[in-house]
Amino acid sequence: DMLRGASPERDIHDHDDATHPRDVIFMFSGHGAQYAGMASGLYASYPVFTEWLDRSAEILSQRLGLDIRTAIADDETALRRMTVAQPALFALQYALARLWMSWGVTPTAMIGHSAGEYVAACLARTFTLENALLLIAERGRLMDEMPGGAMLAVALSEEVLDRRLADHGDDRPDMAVITSPTMCVISGAAGAVNQFR
């Protein structure tokens, strides 16, 4: 309401300090937050967003044998498969970044997690859009072919966690990530992760 001007009693401060420009960093997410209908308002309202999503969908349709726009619009089941979710998330985030850039918002830096790393790399011209889409589609396919597993955040140091993992013998999870001096993530077969927990 405040942005629409429907709450005039609230103080809104508008300040543009051109003498101290602010850095903009684009951050791109990974898999996990996707849902049917995501970005439908952007697609319907912003031609630049639509153009880039359509371009990505056309490139991906030959590789995937489906139209990611349909999955994004209303196919929750398809979006649970990495083969669809990874390229869909890439395409949406790429189109959104292109929209921001069309408005003159230029990132000083970019960072991403999982599929988001590929978006950042593509925007940084490490890959062409076509090559990045083909790579992320193949990544999703390979992920779908892997057996199921689990991950667990563990509030222990790397050294302590290594010793505890060693006590579990051959059927144990692996150290996946060391996120801080006192926080790590383990991964592996769901049974092994649950037993360790």
Side-chain angles (χ1 to χ4, degrees):
D1 286 343
M2 286 175 54
L3 293 175
R4 291 186 187 98
S7 301
E9 70 280 357
R10 305 270 318 244
D11 288 336
I12 299 175
H13 300 282
D14 182 9
H15 179 70
D16 181 14
D17 186 355
T19 61
H20 294 94
R22 303 290 185 230
D23 289 338
V24 174
I25 299 172
F26 285 179
M27 297 174 59
F28 302 104
S29 68
H31 178 262
Q34 70 277 3
Y35 59 92
M38 61 184 170
S40 58
L42 291 170
Y43 189 81
S45 303
Y46 297 101
V48 171
F49 181 89
T50 305
E51 173 193 347
W52 286 105
L53 186 61
D54 287 348
R55 189 178 299 184
S56 295
E58 289 165 15
I59 293 168
L60 287 166
S61 68
Q62 296 172 10
R63 177 80 171 138
L64 300 177
L66 59 85
D67 189 332
I68 62 162
R69 292 169 292 197
T70 303
I72 291 168
D74 64 8
D75 194 344
E76 196 76 42
T77 302
L79 287 174
R80 286 191 203 109
R81 295 188 347 252
M82 294 289 189
T83 304
V84 178
Q86 295 275 316
L89 288 168
F90 177 100
L92 284 171
Q93 292 183 97
Y94 186 86
L96 183 57
R98 286 295 186 180
L99 177 61
W100 279 97
M101 292 164 79
S102 76
W103 291 337
V105 179
T106 304
T108 303
M110 293 179 279
I111 189 169
H113 171 70
S114 187
E117 293 174 286
Y118 293 89
V119 179
C122 185
L123 289 166
R125 298 187 185 132
T126 302
F127 304 110
T128 64
L129 177 59
E130 183 172 3
N131 286 340
L133 287 167
L134 296 177
L135 179 62
I136 201 74
E138 181 65 8
R139 181 180 192 260
R141 184 190 68 77
L142 291 171
M143 290 173 83
D144 268 345
E145 291 179 359
M146 295 299 297
M151 297 176 76
L152 176 68
V154 181
L156 294 174
S157 69
E158 175 185 8
E159 297 79 24
V160 172
L161 183 55
D162 271 338
R163 286 194 301 271
R164 292 212 183 156
L165 286 170
D167 293 342
H168 279 263
D170 293 337
D171 185 33
R172 66 178 191 205
D174 295 309
M175 177 82 68
V177 180
I178 302 161
T179 57
S180 77
T182 59
M183 181 65 71
C184 299
V185 177
I186 59 170
S187 66
V193 171
N194 285 333
Q195 182 180 8
F196 184 84
R197 182 185 325 187

